[in-house]
Each structure stands twice: as C-alpha cells, then as structure tokens.
Amino acid sequence: MQDTIVIKEHNYRIKKMNAIELLSMQSQISFKSAKQSQSCYSQMLERIEVKCQDSWLPVKEEGKEIYYPNGIEFDLEVIQELIGFFMKWLKEVFQKSNVLK
C-alpha cells in the first residue's frame, strides 16, 4: 500500500492515524452536496502531509484556510491528485481490513 507520492517535486504522505480516526473518515465520506464534498475534501487534505525542508506539514491546517505549500489551494491538478491518492489509499486500507475478518 503506497502511503507516499511525489507531485511537482513535492513529497506527500498520509498522516499517521489511529483506528478511530480511520473509522471516522469512512463515515464522513459523502458527496451528496457541494457542502459535504467540500468538508470531505478538507478533511482529506488535513490528513495529507507535505515535506517542507526538514519538516512534514499538513497540506491544510485543521479548521483553518492555511495551506502548504503556499498557493496549493489554487492548483486544481495537484489537489485532484492528492484527493485521488488519499481515496485510493483509504479504499486499500478498508479492503485489507475486510480481508482480515
């Protein structure tokens, strides 16, 4: 299962989450309205980190409109790639847990 990706010379990774956080993510995924979709995407970006120099920072700071790297919130291509990366990773996590049952 891939938990890192390089996009436009930036390294991204999925933030470490415990089982409760993962289960809550599964229940939060809803695309029935624009508001629900926006909330879901924000939560995903808050759980993806980007390497900036020697530190890993969240792509989106939780509950704030602060993004790293600077200006990424306006780069549709990168945001789409990150959301797709997170969704694929999440799907693999839950498929793997279903197999273990």
XYZ file of all heavy atoms in Angstrom:
842
model
N 0.849 -1.175 0.000
C 0.000 0.000 0.000
C 0.895 1.240 0.000
O 1.734 1.403 0.871
C -0.906 -0.054 1.220
C -1.719 1.167 1.429
S -2.962 1.000 2.720
C -2.149 0.057 3.967
N 0.730 2.081 -0.970
C 1.552 3.281 -1.118
C 1.009 4.389 -0.219
O -0.147 4.777 -0.325
C 1.537 3.737 -2.579
C 2.339 4.977 -2.830
C 2.234 5.467 -4.262
O 1.604 4.854 -5.094
N 2.836 6.600 -4.529
N 1.853 4.901 0.679
C 1.407 5.999 1.531
C 2.225 7.271 1.311
O 2.132 8.212 2.076
C 1.387 5.605 3.003
C 2.758 5.224 3.544
O 3.711 5.125 2.758
O 2.859 5.040 4.762
N 3.033 7.286 0.229
C 3.765 8.492 -0.165
C 3.605 8.701 -1.670
O 3.362 7.755 -2.417
C 5.268 8.394 0.163
O 5.832 7.298 -0.559
C 5.497 8.227 1.655
N 3.740 9.950 -2.090
C 3.635 10.290 -3.510
C 4.444 11.563 -3.753
O 4.576 12.402 -2.858
C 2.150 10.476 -3.924
C 1.995 10.556 -5.439
C 1.540 11.678 -3.236
C 0.545 10.514 -5.921
N 5.004 11.683 -4.952
C 5.720 12.898 -5.350
C 4.898 13.562 -6.449
O 4.561 12.934 -7.453
C 7.142 12.586 -5.856
C 7.830 13.861 -6.333
C 7.966 11.903 -4.772
N 4.561 14.832 -6.228
C 3.808 15.614 -7.218
C 4.513 16.958 -7.353
O 4.711 17.663 -6.354
C 2.345 15.845 -6.784
C 1.643 14.518 -6.505
C 1.597 16.639 -7.849
C 0.264 14.673 -5.875
N 4.875 17.294 -8.573
C 5.544 18.573 -8.864
C 6.686 18.849 -7.874
O 6.747 19.903 -7.255
C 4.541 19.725 -8.855
C 3.544 19.672 -9.991
C 2.711 20.928 -10.060
C 1.753 20.874 -11.236
N 0.934 22.083 -11.315
N 7.565 17.869 -7.728
C 8.766 17.980 -6.903
C 8.509 18.125 -5.402
O 9.409 18.455 -4.643
C 9.656 19.120 -7.392
C 10.124 18.919 -8.829
C 11.007 20.040 -9.339
O 11.560 20.805 -8.528
O 11.145 20.145 -10.558
N 7.287 17.882 -4.949
C 6.989 17.884 -3.524
C 6.649 16.472 -3.085
O 5.939 15.749 -3.792
C 5.810 18.814 -3.203
C 6.175 20.259 -3.232
N 5.983 21.042 -4.337
C 6.732 21.056 -2.294
C 6.398 22.269 -4.086
N 6.867 22.304 -2.845
N 7.150 16.085 -1.922
C 6.847 14.777 -1.340
C 5.646 14.910 -0.420
O 5.613 15.800 0.436
C 8.036 14.257 -0.534
C 9.213 13.946 -1.421
O 9.093 13.213 -2.385
N 10.364 14.514 -1.097
N 4.680 14.013 -0.606
C 3.481 13.996 0.217
C 3.352 12.619 0.854
O 3.788 11.619 0.284
C 2.230 14.260 -0.633
C 2.211 15.626 -1.269
C 2.753 15.829 -2.537
C 1.663 16.715 -0.614
C 2.744 17.080 -3.129
C 1.648 17.984 -1.199
C 2.191 18.149 -2.456
O 2.176 19.392 -3.037
N 2.719 12.588 2.029
C 2.458 11.310 2.680
C 1.139 11.400 3.454
O 0.674 12.498 3.785
C 3.589 10.916 3.632
C 3.661 11.762 4.884
C 4.770 11.316 5.807
N 4.778 12.139 7.030
C 5.723 12.104 7.930
N 6.777 11.312 7.767
N 5.654 12.860 9.010
N 0.594 10.232 3.739
C -0.603 10.156 4.559
C -0.164 10.268 6.018
O 0.758 9.572 6.458
C -1.354 8.819 4.342
C -1.694 8.609 2.862
C -2.589 8.754 5.230
C -2.663 9.577 2.265
N -0.814 11.139 6.736
C -0.531 11.323 8.159
C -0.891 10.045 8.918
O -1.865 9.365 8.579
C -1.387 12.495 8.667
C -1.335 12.761 10.116
C -2.273 13.930 10.438
C -2.772 13.837 11.857
N -3.712 14.910 12.171
N -0.116 9.710 9.937
C -0.440 8.541 10.763
C -1.740 8.806 11.504
O -1.933 9.872 12.084
C 0.683 8.249 11.755
C 1.908 7.694 11.094
C 2.921 7.233 12.112
C 4.126 6.692 11.363
N 5.084 6.068 12.260
N -2.623 7.810 11.441
C -3.916 7.918 12.108
C -4.178 6.644 12.887
O -3.780 5.556 12.458
C -5.033 8.096 11.076
C -5.009 9.413 10.341
S -6.320 9.513 9.120
C -5.488 8.806 7.699
N -4.870 6.769 13.998
C -5.242 5.579 14.739
C -6.539 5.002 14.153
O -7.155 5.603 13.260
C -5.362 5.861 16.247
C -6.461 6.851 16.572
O -7.514 6.890 15.940
N -6.226 7.667 17.592
N -6.954 3.866 14.646
C -8.130 3.165 14.108
C -9.391 4.007 14.220
O -10.243 3.999 13.314
C -8.317 1.835 14.817
N -9.539 4.755 15.296
C -10.739 5.583 15.475
C -10.813 6.670 14.410
O -11.867 6.921 13.831
C -10.771 6.182 16.899
C -10.912 5.046 17.920
C -11.893 7.194 17.051
C -10.662 5.450 19.344
N -9.684 7.315 14.141
C -9.645 8.345 13.095
C -10.001 7.744 11.737
O -10.743 8.344 10.956
C -8.268 8.994 13.026
C -7.948 9.907 14.173
C -6.534 10.452 14.084
O -5.591 9.666 14.315
O -6.389 11.642 13.761
N -9.443 6.557 11.445
C -9.727 5.907 10.167
C -11.200 5.568 10.038
O -11.819 5.817 8.994
C -8.885 4.639 10.012
C -7.447 4.858 9.605
C -6.658 3.565 9.711
C -7.371 5.404 8.199
N -11.779 5.004 11.073
C -13.201 4.654 11.025
C -14.072 5.895 10.871
O -15.063 5.872 10.142
C -13.598 3.869 12.274
C -13.055 2.451 12.341
C -13.334 1.849 13.715
C -13.635 1.584 11.232
N -13.696 6.978 11.533
C -14.479 8.206 11.399
C -14.381 8.769 9.986
O -15.350 9.333 9.470
C -14.054 9.251 12.431
O -12.782 9.770 12.141
N -13.227 8.610 9.335
C -13.088 9.063 7.949
C -14.067 8.317 7.047
O -14.709 8.907 6.186
C -11.658 8.842 7.435
C -10.648 9.849 7.873
S -11.000 11.535 7.345
C -11.045 11.391 5.575
N -14.183 7.014 7.263
C -15.072 6.215 6.433
C -16.511 6.712 6.562
O -17.238 6.791 5.571
C -14.976 4.740 6.814
C -15.788 3.842 5.910
C -15.707 2.379 6.316
O -15.571 2.055 7.484
N -15.792 1.510 5.337
N -16.917 7.067 7.757
C -18.302 7.512 7.959
C -18.536 8.940 7.468
O -19.676 9.343 7.264
C -18.688 7.398 9.433
O -17.990 8.352 10.201
N -17.474 9.720 7.280
C -17.601 11.110 6.859
C -17.643 11.292 5.345
O -18.006 12.359 4.862
C -16.445 11.941 7.419
C -16.442 12.051 8.915
C -17.637 12.814 9.431
O -18.037 13.816 8.868
N -18.232 12.332 10.506
N -17.286 10.274 4.605
C -17.210 10.424 3.155
C -18.611 10.475 2.563
O -19.374 9.513 2.630
C -16.379 9.295 2.519
C -14.942 9.412 2.998
C -16.454 9.352 0.995
C -14.035 8.316 2.531
N -18.940 11.638 2.035
C -20.248 11.846 1.418
C -20.112 12.942 0.361
O -19.515 13.979 0.612
C -21.274 12.266 2.472
O -22.498 12.567 1.851
N -20.671 12.669 -0.783
C -20.608 13.633 -1.883
C -22.015 13.996 -2.362
O -22.232 14.288 -3.525
C -19.770 13.064 -3.034
C -18.369 12.715 -2.618
C -17.992 11.397 -2.426
C -17.439 13.699 -2.391
C -16.706 11.068 -2.036
C -16.143 13.393 -1.991
C -15.780 12.068 -1.813
N -22.985 13.983 -1.430
C -24.385 14.245 -1.785
C -24.647 15.723 -2.054
O -25.605 16.056 -2.724
C -25.312 13.725 -0.691
C -25.288 12.215 -0.582
C -26.203 11.719 0.497
C -26.121 10.194 0.581
N -26.939 9.661 1.648
N -23.805 16.591 -1.521
C -23.966 18.026 -1.760
C -22.588 18.662 -1.863
O -21.587 18.072 -1.440
C -24.751 18.681 -0.617
O -23.973 18.725 0.557
N -22.555 19.861 -2.398
C -21.275 20.572 -2.520
C -20.672 20.821 -1.139
O -19.455 20.695 -0.952
C -21.471 21.890 -3.258
N -21.508 21.141 -0.161
C -21.021 21.412 1.194
C -20.400 20.155 1.812
O -19.334 20.224 2.413
C -22.171 21.917 2.065
C -21.742 22.380 3.428
C -22.895 22.996 4.189
C -22.413 23.499 5.540
N -23.473 24.163 6.283
N -21.038 19.004 1.638
C -20.498 17.755 2.160
C -19.199 17.393 1.450
O -18.248 16.930 2.075
C -21.515 16.626 2.019
C -22.675 16.735 2.977
C -23.726 15.661 2.721
O -23.999 15.298 1.579
N -24.326 15.166 3.797
N -19.159 17.590 0.147
C -17.947 17.299 -0.620
C -16.790 18.174 -0.157
O -15.681 17.687 0.053
C -18.185 17.514 -2.113
O -19.149 16.626 -2.594
N -17.052 19.456 0.025
C -16.012 20.379 0.463
C -15.485 19.985 1.841
O -14.267 19.984 2.072
C -16.541 21.814 0.499
C -15.479 22.825 0.850
C -15.998 24.249 0.792
O -17.169 24.503 0.509
N -15.132 25.196 1.068
N -16.375 19.615 2.746
C -15.967 19.178 4.079
C -15.101 17.919 3.996
O -14.068 17.820 4.668
C -17.199 18.917 4.940
O -16.824 18.358 6.173
N -15.518 16.987 3.148
C -14.786 15.736 2.979
C -13.387 15.996 2.403
O -12.396 15.472 2.908
C -15.581 14.813 2.070
S -14.887 13.170 1.926
N -13.302 16.816 1.377
C -12.011 17.137 0.767
C -11.097 17.840 1.775
O -9.898 17.561 1.840
C -12.184 17.998 -0.475
C -12.889 17.311 -1.618
C -13.702 18.024 -2.483
C -12.754 15.943 -1.838
C -14.353 17.397 -3.544
C -13.401 15.313 -2.880
C -14.199 16.044 -3.736
O -14.844 15.426 -4.776
N -11.662 18.755 2.551
C -10.865 19.460 3.559
C -10.284 18.475 4.571
O -9.108 18.561 4.933
C -11.710 20.510 4.282
O -11.990 21.582 3.425
N -11.115 17.531 5.024
C -10.643 16.535 5.994
C -9.531 15.677 5.395
O -8.584 15.316 6.089
C -11.798 15.666 6.454
C -12.765 16.416 7.345
C -13.900 15.531 7.810
O -13.671 14.392 8.203
N -15.111 16.053 7.767
N -9.650 15.357 4.127
C -8.603 14.564 3.477
C -7.296 15.355 3.416
O -6.232 14.834 3.748
C -9.035 14.155 2.069
C -10.121 13.142 2.047
S -10.577 12.773 0.335
C -12.063 11.820 0.607
N -7.384 16.614 3.000
C -6.175 17.443 2.888
C -5.536 17.693 4.253
O -4.316 17.865 4.348
C -6.495 18.765 2.194
C -6.904 18.643 0.730
C -7.351 19.994 0.184
C -5.789 18.051 -0.118
N -6.333 17.680 5.322
C -5.806 17.837 6.669
C -5.043 16.596 7.116
O -4.266 16.643 8.065
C -6.939 18.136 7.655
C -7.529 19.524 7.465
C -8.847 19.739 8.188
O -9.342 18.800 8.867
O -9.396 20.855 8.085
N -5.258 15.475 6.419
C -4.598 14.221 6.782
C -3.503 13.822 5.791
O -2.987 12.724 5.840
C -5.646 13.131 6.929
C -6.448 13.329 8.213
C -7.730 12.547 8.235
N -8.419 12.723 9.504
C -9.198 13.762 9.802
N -9.368 14.726 8.933
N -9.796 13.837 10.975
N -3.168 14.738 4.904
C -2.036 14.552 3.995
C -0.981 15.566 4.396
O -1.293 16.731 4.649
C -2.444 14.760 2.520
C -3.525 13.774 2.111
C -1.227 14.640 1.608
C -4.126 14.033 0.742
N 0.268 15.113 4.455
C 1.365 15.995 4.838
C 2.307 16.203 3.656
O 2.436 15.331 2.802
C 2.142 15.384 6.008
C 1.310 15.218 7.262
C 2.037 14.506 8.374
O 2.792 13.541 8.094
O 1.852 14.902 9.536
N 2.947 17.361 3.633
C 3.925 17.693 2.609
C 5.256 17.979 3.299
O 5.286 18.575 4.375
C 3.468 18.903 1.751
C 3.279 20.164 2.589
C 4.419 19.148 0.599
N 6.322 17.534 2.671
C 7.655 17.778 3.239
C 8.117 19.169 2.820
O 8.232 19.480 1.642
C 8.659 16.725 2.772
C 9.980 16.878 3.480
C 10.769 15.620 3.467
C 11.957 15.805 4.393
N 12.695 14.611 4.581
N 8.357 20.010 3.813
C 8.870 21.367 3.608
C 10.187 21.466 4.368
O 10.183 21.452 5.605
C 7.877 22.402 4.106
S 6.340 22.463 3.185
N 11.275 21.506 3.630
C 12.626 21.459 4.183
C 12.777 20.188 5.011
O 12.687 19.107 4.467
C 12.947 22.739 4.933
C 12.960 23.955 4.032
C 13.168 25.249 4.769
O 13.268 25.313 5.983
N 13.243 26.327 4.009
N 12.942 20.295 6.317
C 13.139 19.110 7.152
C 11.893 18.736 7.951
O 11.956 17.881 8.832
C 14.308 19.336 8.128
C 15.636 19.467 7.397
O 15.783 18.849 6.322
O 16.527 20.183 7.901
N 10.775 19.378 7.680
C 9.548 19.146 8.447
C 8.421 18.632 7.552
O 8.384 18.905 6.360
C 9.070 20.450 9.088
O 10.048 20.993 9.908
N 7.506 17.902 8.160
C 6.281 17.477 7.496
C 5.152 18.342 8.023
O 4.921 18.398 9.233
C 5.993 16.004 7.767
C 6.912 15.087 7.029
C 8.070 14.559 7.470
C 6.730 14.599 5.691
N 8.642 13.760 6.501
C 7.833 13.774 5.396
C 5.754 14.776 4.713
C 7.977 13.131 4.178
C 5.892 14.139 3.495
C 6.996 13.328 3.230
N 4.468 19.045 7.119
C 3.362 19.927 7.484
C 2.079 19.431 6.841
O 2.111 18.845 5.758
C 3.641 21.354 6.989
C 4.923 22.016 7.489
C 5.145 23.336 6.759
C 4.858 22.238 8.993
N 0.933 19.680 7.473
C -0.322 19.278 6.837
C -0.544 20.130 5.580
O -0.206 21.313 5.564
C -1.374 19.587 7.898
C -0.767 20.667 8.734
C 0.725 20.391 8.729
N -1.088 19.524 4.549
C -1.402 20.293 3.338
C -2.394 21.387 3.690
O -2.296 22.507 3.208
C -1.948 19.374 2.222
C -2.507 20.178 1.066
C -0.841 18.450 1.729
N -3.346 21.070 4.581
C -4.313 22.060 5.065
C -4.326 21.978 6.581
O -4.493 20.899 7.147
C -5.708 21.774 4.525
C -6.748 22.779 4.972
C -8.136 22.391 4.505
C -9.176 23.405 4.920
N -9.296 23.570 6.377
N -4.156 23.120 7.229
C -4.230 23.130 8.689
C -5.678 22.916 9.115
O -6.595 23.514 8.541
C -3.682 24.438 9.258
C -2.176 24.519 9.182
C -1.594 25.612 10.054
O -2.261 26.092 11.001
O -0.444 25.992 9.784
N -5.860 22.069 10.106
C -7.196 21.702 10.552
C -7.995 22.924 11.007
O -7.545 23.710 11.833
C -7.106 20.690 11.699
C -8.423 20.056 12.039
C -8.294 18.905 13.007
O -7.175 18.385 13.203
O -9.322 18.534 13.579
N -9.188 23.067 10.431
C -10.091 24.142 10.815
C -9.688 25.527 10.347
O -10.298 26.515 10.734
N -8.648 25.615 9.521
C -8.167 26.922 9.041
C -8.013 26.880 7.526
O -7.944 25.818 6.932
C -6.817 27.264 9.680
C -6.853 27.350 11.182
C -5.480 27.631 11.729
C -5.519 27.661 13.246
N -4.189 27.798 13.826
N -7.940 28.031 6.922
C -7.702 28.126 5.481
C -6.226 28.427 5.221
O -5.881 29.362 4.501
C -8.605 29.196 4.858
C -10.088 28.837 4.890
C -10.397 27.544 4.139
O -9.921 27.375 3.001
O -11.115 26.703 4.707
N -5.354 27.627 5.823
C -3.907 27.762 5.657
C -3.415 26.483 4.989
O -3.688 25.378 5.467
C -3.209 27.976 7.016
C -3.726 29.266 7.666
C -1.691 28.014 6.833
C -3.256 29.484 9.082
N -2.720 26.645 3.864
C -2.290 25.510 3.050
C -0.783 25.536 2.832
O -0.173 26.602 2.789
C -2.976 25.561 1.675
C -4.469 25.404 1.730
C -5.298 26.489 1.995
C -5.059 24.166 1.511
C -6.676 26.346 2.038
C -6.438 24.017 1.550
C -7.232 25.108 1.823
O -8.597 24.957 1.875
N -0.227 24.328 2.688
C 1.194 24.166 2.348
C 1.296 23.172 1.206
O 0.559 22.179 1.208
C 1.990 23.627 3.550
C 1.886 24.512 4.766
C 1.017 24.182 5.802
C 2.642 25.672 4.875
C 0.903 24.991 6.923
C 2.524 26.477 6.007
C 1.653 26.124 7.019
O 1.545 26.920 8.126
N 2.187 23.371 0.258
C 2.992 24.569 0.053
C 2.113 25.748 -0.343
O 0.977 25.575 -0.785
C 3.950 24.181 -1.074
C 3.296 23.045 -1.769
C 2.421 22.364 -0.767
N 2.652 26.919 -0.187
C 1.922 28.156 -0.443
C 1.284 28.147 -1.841
O 1.943 27.842 -2.823
C 2.875 29.346 -0.303
C 2.152 30.675 -0.353
O 1.015 30.773 0.074
N 2.822 31.681 -0.861
N 0.001 28.449 -1.901
C -0.706 28.552 -3.173
C -1.296 27.252 -3.691
O -1.990 27.249 -4.712
N -1.073 26.140 -3.001
C -1.561 24.845 -3.491
C -3.082 24.823 -3.614
O -3.628 24.128 -4.467
C -1.058 23.684 -2.606
C -1.337 22.342 -3.302
C -1.678 23.736 -1.227
C -0.738 21.146 -2.620
N -3.777 25.591 -2.778
C -5.241 25.586 -2.814
C -5.798 26.096 -4.145
O -6.978 25.899 -4.446
C -5.821 26.371 -1.634
C -5.613 27.866 -1.699
C -4.313 28.359 -1.071
O -3.304 27.609 -1.061
O -4.300 29.512 -0.620
N -4.961 26.719 -4.962
C -5.385 27.215 -6.270
C -4.933 26.311 -7.415
O -5.215 26.599 -8.575
C -4.850 28.637 -6.495
C -5.300 29.599 -5.436
C -4.401 30.106 -4.513
C -6.635 29.980 -5.339
C -4.805 30.987 -3.519
C -7.053 30.859 -4.351
C -6.145 31.362 -3.446
N -4.245 25.221 -7.099
C -3.723 24.306 -8.118
C -4.647 23.091 -8.228
O -4.486 22.091 -7.510
C -2.303 23.872 -7.762
C -1.590 23.172 -8.903
O -2.274 22.513 -9.720
O -0.347 23.271 -8.969
N -5.638 23.190 -9.095
C -6.654 22.156 -9.248
C -6.045 20.793 -9.545
O -6.452 19.780 -8.974
C -7.642 22.547 -10.354
C -8.775 21.577 -10.626
C -9.655 21.403 -9.404
C -9.594 22.035 -11.817
N -5.036 20.752 -10.396
C -4.405 19.487 -10.782
C -3.788 18.768 -9.575
O -4.000 17.571 -9.372
C -3.330 19.753 -11.839
C -2.629 18.508 -12.330
C -1.524 18.830 -13.336
O -1.622 19.854 -14.039
O -0.564 18.055 -13.401
N -3.050 19.507 -8.754
C -2.402 18.898 -7.588
C -3.443 18.474 -6.562
O -3.376 17.376 -6.011
C -1.362 19.859 -6.953
C -0.839 19.301 -5.635
C -0.212 20.097 -7.919
N -4.433 19.311 -6.309
C -5.484 18.963 -5.343
C -6.223 17.712 -5.791
O -6.468 16.802 -4.990
C -6.462 20.146 -5.131
C -5.747 21.336 -4.493
C -7.666 19.708 -4.295
C -5.202 21.104 -3.088
N -6.545 17.611 -7.075
C -7.214 16.414 -7.588
C -6.342 15.175 -7.394
O -6.831 14.116 -7.006
C -7.563 16.570 -9.070
C -8.766 17.440 -9.304
C -9.089 17.580 -10.781
O -8.204 17.775 -11.612
N -10.363 17.496 -11.112
N -5.057 15.309 -7.662
C -4.142 14.171 -7.480
C -4.059 13.749 -6.026
O -4.058 12.558 -5.705
C -2.737 14.516 -8.000
C -2.465 13.935 -9.357
C -1.003 14.090 -9.756
O -0.685 15.123 -10.357
O -0.204 13.170 -9.466
N -4.000 14.733 -5.119
C -3.914 14.415 -3.695
C -5.193 13.746 -3.191
O -5.127 12.770 -2.436
C -3.621 15.685 -2.880
C -2.216 16.241 -3.008
C -2.100 17.591 -2.304
C -1.179 15.260 -2.477
N -6.345 14.235 -3.613
C -7.621 13.638 -3.205
C -7.715 12.210 -3.750
O -8.099 11.284 -3.032
C -8.819 14.492 -3.685
C -8.805 15.870 -3.013
C -10.140 13.765 -3.449
C -8.933 15.889 -1.517
N -7.341 12.022 -5.008
C -7.350 10.680 -5.596
C -6.402 9.740 -4.874
O -6.732 8.583 -4.609
N -5.220 10.233 -4.529
C -4.223 9.463 -3.791
C -4.787 9.035 -2.439
O -4.692 7.869 -2.047
C -2.964 10.331 -3.633
C -1.968 9.863 -2.621
C -1.309 8.654 -2.768
C -1.670 10.647 -1.517
C -0.368 8.230 -1.827
C -0.734 10.239 -0.573
C -0.090 9.028 -0.731
N -5.410 9.970 -1.728
C -5.964 9.658 -0.408
C -7.114 8.660 -0.513
O -7.189 7.708 0.266
C -6.439 10.929 0.301
C -6.830 10.682 1.729
C -5.888 10.761 2.728
C -8.133 10.352 2.062
C -6.237 10.514 4.062
C -8.489 10.103 3.374
C -7.542 10.193 4.378
N -8.004 8.856 -1.479
C -9.161 7.961 -1.642
C -8.694 6.546 -1.988
O -9.226 5.571 -1.456
C -10.109 8.489 -2.712
C -10.645 9.847 -2.400
S -12.342 10.036 -1.943
C -13.283 8.989 -2.904
N -7.701 6.434 -2.857
C -7.172 5.116 -3.220
C -6.549 4.457 -1.996
O -6.764 3.267 -1.735
C -6.142 5.257 -4.344
C -5.562 3.949 -4.800
C -4.560 4.141 -5.920
C -3.952 2.796 -6.302
N -2.897 2.932 -7.284
N -5.787 5.225 -1.229
C -5.157 4.699 -0.021
C -6.216 4.235 0.979
O -6.127 3.139 1.540
C -4.267 5.776 0.606
C -3.623 5.365 1.886
C -2.468 4.663 2.028
C -4.110 5.611 3.205
N -2.198 4.466 3.366
C -3.197 5.034 4.111
C -5.237 6.265 3.710
C -3.365 5.102 5.483
C -5.406 6.322 5.081
C -4.477 5.742 5.954
N -7.237 5.053 1.190
C -8.303 4.719 2.135
C -9.053 3.461 1.701
O -9.347 2.592 2.522
C -9.260 5.909 2.265
C -10.189 5.931 3.461
C -9.407 5.977 4.762
C -11.121 7.122 3.371
N -9.311 3.360 0.411
C -10.000 2.172 -0.115
C -9.169 0.915 0.144
O -9.695 -0.113 0.569
C -10.248 2.347 -1.623
C -11.000 1.217 -2.263
C -11.231 1.493 -3.735
C -11.920 0.318 -4.398
N -12.097 0.528 -5.830
N -7.868 1.000 -0.071
C -6.978 -0.139 0.176
C -6.958 -0.514 1.653
O -6.955 -1.696 1.998
C -5.560 0.167 -0.305
C -5.432 0.198 -1.808
C -4.025 0.565 -2.277
O -3.067 0.453 -1.481
O -3.887 0.967 -3.428
N -6.960 0.486 2.530
C -6.948 0.215 3.964
C -8.202 -0.569 4.352
O -8.128 -1.571 5.066
C -6.874 1.532 4.779
C -7.203 1.296 6.250
C -5.498 2.156 4.645
N -9.355 -0.141 3.875
C -10.606 -0.810 4.269
C -10.788 -2.145 3.570
O -11.356 -3.057 4.150
C -11.801 0.115 4.077
C -11.853 1.184 5.142
C -11.598 2.502 4.829
C -12.095 0.847 6.460
C -11.616 3.475 5.822
C -12.103 1.806 7.462
C -11.865 3.124 7.137
N -10.282 -2.290 2.365
C -10.339 -3.610 1.706
C -9.460 -4.593 2.465
O -9.845 -5.738 2.684
C -9.897 -3.514 0.258
C -10.949 -2.963 -0.661
C -10.486 -2.900 -2.110
O -9.309 -3.029 -2.420
N -11.428 -2.671 -3.000
N -8.289 -4.141 2.869
C -7.370 -5.007 3.605
C -7.984 -5.429 4.945
O -7.889 -6.571 5.348
C -6.035 -4.286 3.822
C -4.955 -5.155 4.407
C -3.633 -4.412 4.452
C -2.536 -5.299 4.991
N -1.251 -4.612 5.055
N -8.646 -4.498 5.640
C -9.248 -4.837 6.932
C -10.417 -5.800 6.745
O -10.645 -6.665 7.581
C -9.699 -3.580 7.685
O -10.774 -2.956 7.035
N -11.149 -5.701 5.644
C -12.241 -6.646 5.364
C -11.721 -8.037 5.082
O -12.339 -9.029 5.445
C -13.094 -6.158 4.196
C -14.002 -5.018 4.589
O -14.324 -4.843 5.758
N -14.406 -4.221 3.613
N -10.568 -8.147 4.431
C -9.957 -9.421 4.119
C -9.523 -10.122 5.404
O -9.623 -11.338 5.529
C -8.754 -9.238 3.159
C -7.928 -10.502 3.041
C -9.235 -8.795 1.792
N -9.061 -9.347 6.374
C -8.574 -9.912 7.633
C -9.694 -10.474 8.510
O -9.441 -11.266 9.389
C -7.780 -8.869 8.423
C -6.500 -8.383 7.758
C -5.886 -7.252 8.566
C -5.504 -9.523 7.618
N -10.936 -10.071 8.271
C -12.057 -10.527 9.122
C -12.378 -11.968 8.912
O -12.399 -12.636 8.072
C -13.287 -9.672 8.870
C -13.127 -8.291 9.437
C -14.372 -7.499 9.237
C -14.193 -6.085 9.776
N -15.329 -5.267 9.576
